[in-house]
Amino acid sequence: MHRATQPSRQLYRPFSITSRRASRKVGSMAPRRFAPLDPAKRKEGDERPVLKGVVFDVDGTLCLPQNYMFAEMRAALGITKETDILDHIYSLAPAEQDEAQMKIRAIERTAMASQRPQAGLVQLMDYLDSRAIKKGICTRNFDAPVDHLLTTFLPKHIFHPVVTREFRPPKPDPAGILHIAKTWMHEDGGESLIMVGDSADDMVAGRRAGAATVLLESDANRHLKEHECTDMAVGQLDELIEVLEEGFKGKDFGEET
């Protein structure tokens, strides 16, 4: 835990957020844009919005992917690859849910010892701090692996809020991202934010929240570059620095109808 440098971690009780953005149309949107964060590159009369915050996924985004965990979790729960792990757990009776959660947490605790940071991780976080851009986390992990990653690789950086598995509904529902935006007192939902992740759930949740979306590309997810909810793809995290300095522009989906 980051007790010395980070606000006390909130544990979120299960609940739902309803919003006009929760059912936001995922396709047919004009390119998402933000003004350059470098003040010297802003021009008078530039009507592009200013980026206010970035929300990050964890596994596969802040740290290298540990996808082997999902096969281990499904084996422990006795479910197939086609079944969403959290959907399955939440469909169980309360006592069975507790047992299932214990099984997958044990797998995550073992895996967190081998966490490795993504390339460009610290450089991007240093840059966002230098531009006073808020940082939050929205993940389907539980809190221990998240704490381990932040304590080990980003001990000087503040992420708040940190939305973990205790918050329901999870991604791809936009509720977690909308909660972060509300905590930051953003009246436009996620429209002044960027969601950075490595999965379809991240892209869909970001788009439904109204945020711009950035895919951290890998061999396993390269097909998601063409996903209707992906605004931009980068090969490593610090590639975002130049993008944000010069002004963010996502791909063209066509005008919204």
Side-chain angles (χ1 to χ4, degrees):
M1 296 285 286
H2 288 61
R3 300 189 188 280
T5 59
Q6 184 164 308
S8 297
R9 182 69 46 78
Q10 290 178 265
L11 294 179
Y12 301 107
R13 301 302 178 189
F15 71 99
S16 296
I17 290 180
T18 57
S19 165
R20 64 181 179 85
R21 296 176 181 85
S23 58
R24 186 182 181 93
K25 191 174 181 180
V26 295
S28 302
M29 291 183 65
R32 293 303 312 277
R33 300 171 185 263
F34 291 107
L37 291 183
D38 181 355
K41 298 184 186 303
R42 297 181 194 171
K43 298 180 180 179
E44 186 176 353
D46 190 343
E47 297 182 351
R48 288 174 292 178
V50 176
L51 179 68
K52 296 179 181 178
V54 182
V55 179
F56 294 92
D57 175 52
V58 175
D59 185 53
T61 303
L62 297 183
C63 63
L64 295 177
Q66 296 177 295
N67 294 333
Y68 63 87
M69 287 192 297
F70 303 128
E72 293 180 2
M73 290 175 185
R74 288 188 171 92
L77 298 174
I79 59 177
T80 65
K81 184 178 180 180
E82 292 71 29
T83 303
D84 183 88
I85 293 167
L86 294 186
D87 285 350
H88 169 74
I89 291 174
Y90 297 146
S91 73
L92 301 174
E96 294 175 316
Q97 283 190 35
D98 291 343
E99 181 180 357
Q101 290 280 18
M102 288 176 60
K103 289 179 179 178
I104 63 173
R105 285 173 181 166
I107 293 167
E108 288 172 297
R109 284 194 182 94
T110 300
M112 74 186 189
S114 58
Q115 283 177 340
R116 296 294 180 268
Q118 284 281 6
L121 174 67
V122 175
Q123 293 91 330
L124 176 60
M125 302 311 160
D126 286 345
Y127 166 74
L128 293 175
D129 286 352
S130 76
R131 294 300 191 195
I133 301 298
K134 293 181 179 179
K135 308 186 301 297
I137 285 174
C138 184
T139 178
R140 288 162 61 105
N141 292 91
F142 88 111
D143 57 350
V146 179
D147 288 337
H148 181 269
L149 183 140
L150 297 179
T151 302
T152 304
F153 303 116
L154 295 167
K156 297 180 181 179
H157 292 273
I158 295 173
F159 291 78
H160 181 76
V162 175
V163 173
T164 59
R165 188 178 302 149
E166 286 78 12
F167 185 102
R168 289 169 60 183
K171 297 177 295 185
D173 194 284
I177 300 170
L178 291 173
H179 173 81
I180 292 171
K182 184 178 180 181
T183 301
W184 289 343
M185 297 188 294
H186 293 173
E187 296 180 357
D188 58 356
E191 291 179 8
S192 58
L193 310 180
I194 291 174
M195 174 69 203
V196 181
D198 71 311
S199 71
D201 284 350
D202 298 321
M203 301 298 100
V204 172
R207 175 59 55 78
R208 288 177 175 171
T213 58
V214 173
L215 175 74
L216 182 59
E217 186 181 347
S218 68
D219 290 340
N221 69 10
R222 190 155 288 128
H223 63 286
L224 293 176
K225 289 174 65 175
E226 306 306 320
H227 194 284
E228 64 175 351
C229 294
T230 302
D231 288 299
M232 178 182 294
V234 294
Q236 63 181 52
L237 290 173
D238 57 351
E239 290 180 20
L240 269 178
I241 296 174
E242 182 177 0
V243 169
L244 299 180
E245 282 288 274
E246 298 290 333
F248 180 97
K249 180 181 177 181
K251 67 187 181 186
D252 192 347
F253 291 92
E255 292 296 327
E256 193 170 16
T257 57

